[in-house]
Amino acid sequence: MERRISRQRPLFPASGEAKHDWWIISQVAQRMGFSDAFNYQSSADIFREHAALSAFENDTEHELRDFNLSAFVHLDGQGYDALQPVQWPVTHQQSAGAARMFTDGQYYTSNRKARFIPITPRPPVNAPDNDYPFTLNTGRLRDQWHTMTRTSLAAKLNAHRPEPFVEINPADAERLGLSARSLAQIESRWGSMLARVDLNPGQQIGSLFVPMHWTEQLSSHGRMGAVVNPVVDPYSGQPESKQTPATIHAWPARWYATILSRRPLQIGGAEYQVSVRGDRYFRYELASTEPGKDWRAWSRALLADTRHIDDDNCWLEYSDQQAGYYRTAYLPDRELQACLFVGPDCELPEPGWLGSLFAKIELSRAERLSLLSGLPPKGEADIGRIVCSCFNVGEKTIRHAVQAQQLQSVADISACLSAGSGCGSCVAELKEFLTKPS
């Protein structure tokens, strides 16, 4: 949106003998007889051609296109490797790029004047009605990008908002019998999704918000693209993603479960499933409208290696079948490998302290005794849900500091805990701790 290009570096080395996409396409083209046109030796070759095309028939005297990378036409390999983010146009006259455009009053038109295009505004094509009375809005979250193909690999970025959620005004939620952290089904004429309920007084009555990032690879029914109406702008192709008529109701889950595991798992048998990358562990949130399982047999088959499935010395276990609760932990040699928490509602332990146990080679006796409670032993801090991703500061830590030290501003919180002093994206949420009752 600000015309900034940046050279992206690989996050990981290629697997096995995998080749770059540009190399594969070039090899196929060469074997089809197009060697001269596809004689690329590196990605820098392709970038130079890209820059040359942007400059083609786009010289300074007759420049009619704002996208111009002519300064990079002869960029060598070393310069390409060191290329820093820059805002185009990048020409020999503007070799450092252009932070602002049109400061000279000249535009990319034949007469160099700006053109105003009159339009006739129209309301949304699909309006709310009795069957779909809510207006569904979508957008980004502060810690994620697009479909999370990169950002979901960072445990720190997943800690704040690990699951798809739906923001709804508390008045609407009370009227519909929706409680915080429970699961709701959002439906439109085009599809449906499942999401955690987030009560937000800042959300307008009659409106819903769901994030855009989750795909079926990370959430079985958390893809908002299935719900959004298919109307697009006739000129830009931009979808009408802010104005989808929708309805929402409680999803009748019969059980909820949280799993933390040192290794990735292949899990089936739950309509709702979200996978989250943690720090040294993988987290899974599950729920289903089907009856519960034989949790003891199911967890041992899923979580243990074959050597310790029936070795009771490797397991901690709590069960209340009548109430629908089951908890277990798998600890061969006192090192936490996995834990499972099941309940009839969404009130399951926060993974903050539990996740920290995967950094330890051996758990202490106090930690093992506390593990199935999901709470740290007396005297150890429970930071709660992460609010500040930069400095790993949780909501319980913030709430305690605000109350104990009578903090009055975000600046006070930052001075005390560092929260909000990094990227600043949590500042709005920090303000809420100054106004919320304890």
Side-chain angles (χ1 to χ4, degrees), residues 7 15 40 189 253 274 334 345 352 368:
R7 167 156 148 53
S15 300
Y40 304 113
R189 294 184 181 88
V274 179
R334 298 183 180 178
D345 53 43
R368 295 198 306 275

Side-chain angles (χ1 to χ4, degrees), residues 207-430:
S207 294
L208 305 173
F209 171 82
V210 296
M212 57 166 279
H213 304 288
W214 277 268
T215 63
E216 291 184 359
Q217 282 72 27
L218 298 174
S219 176
S220 57
H221 288 88
R223 187 173 66 88
M224 68 84 193
V227 184
V228 171
N229 74 89
V231 175
V232 297
D233 180 85
Y235 299 103
S236 69
Q238 178 75 18
E240 201 169 81
S241 55
K242 306 291 185 181
Q243 297 280 349
T244 296
T247 186
I248 182 172
H249 56 83
W251 191 63
R254 298 177 67 172
W255 56 265
Y256 292 78
T258 296
I259 299 176
L260 303 183
S261 172
R262 194 175 293 274
R263 61 182 177 82
L265 304 173
Q266 295 294 324
I267 305 174
E271 298 114 293
Y272 179 83
Q273 178 176 323
V274 179
S275 59
V276 186
R277 176 72 66 89
D279 185 10
R280 298 183 178 87
Y281 67 91
F282 296 86
R283 172 183 170 187
Y284 301 91
E285 296 293 336
L286 313 174
S288 177
T289 58
E290 299 296 324
K293 308 175 183 295
D294 179 346
W295 294 115
R296 188 174 195 272
W298 185 80
S299 61
R300 296 200 174 197
L302 178 68
L303 304 179
D305 59 49
T306 55
R307 295 171 299 165
H308 301 110
I309 288 180
D310 296 318
D311 186 350
D312 289 337
N313 293 323
C314 296
W315 295 86
L316 300 175
E317 189 175 33
Y318 166 81
S319 179
D320 184 342
Q321 293 184 352
Q322 186 172 358
Y325 292 98
Y326 182 82
R327 299 184 175 191
T328 191
Y330 174 50
L331 302 99
D333 302 319
R334 298 183 180 178
E335 181 183 53
L336 180 60
Q337 294 295 319
C339 53
L340 164 70
F341 296 82
V342 181
D345 53 43
C346 59
E347 298 299 324
L348 296 174
E350 285 283 348
W353 174 71
L354 291 167
S356 71
L357 299 179
F358 287 89
K360 301 187 176 186
I361 297 176
E362 182 177 331
L363 300 192
S364 68
R365 182 174 184 275
E367 288 167 336
R368 295 198 306 275
L369 290 173
S370 297
L371 205 162
L372 294 187
S373 72
L375 300 172
K378 187 176 181 180
E380 289 191 24
D382 180 11
I383 66 173
R385 180 181 61 86
I386 295 297
V387 174
C388 175
S389 298
C390 293
F391 296 99
N392 200 43
V393 185
E395 61 178 343
K396 293 182 180 179
T397 302
I398 298 169
R399 188 177 296 112
H400 178 266
V402 169
Q403 295 171 2
Q405 302 190 40
Q406 297 297 300
L407 305 181
Q408 301 296 316
S409 66
V410 171
D412 290 344
I413 297 175
S414 296
C416 180
L417 303 172
S418 294
S421 62
C423 71
S425 61
C426 64
V427 167
E429 193 168 351
L430 293 178

Side-chain angles (χ1 to χ4, degrees), residues 79-139:
Y80 176 72
D81 289 338
L83 187 63
Q84 296 298 304
V86 63
Q87 290 169 278
W88 50 263
V90 190
T91 64
H92 294 292
Q93 291 75 29
Q94 292 179 297
S95 59
R100 296 190 66 181
M101 297 176 67
F102 313 124
T103 55
D104 58 356
Q106 301 292 299
Y107 295 83
Y108 296 96
T109 59
S110 57
N111 62 3
R112 293 295 188 252
K113 293 184 178 181
R115 294 175 182 171
F116 291 90
I117 302 175
I119 64 168
T120 301
R122 61 163 177 79
V125 172
N126 298 292
D129 54 27
N130 291 335
D131 293 328
Y132 302 96
F134 284 89
T135 298
L136 176 66
N137 178 19
T138 69

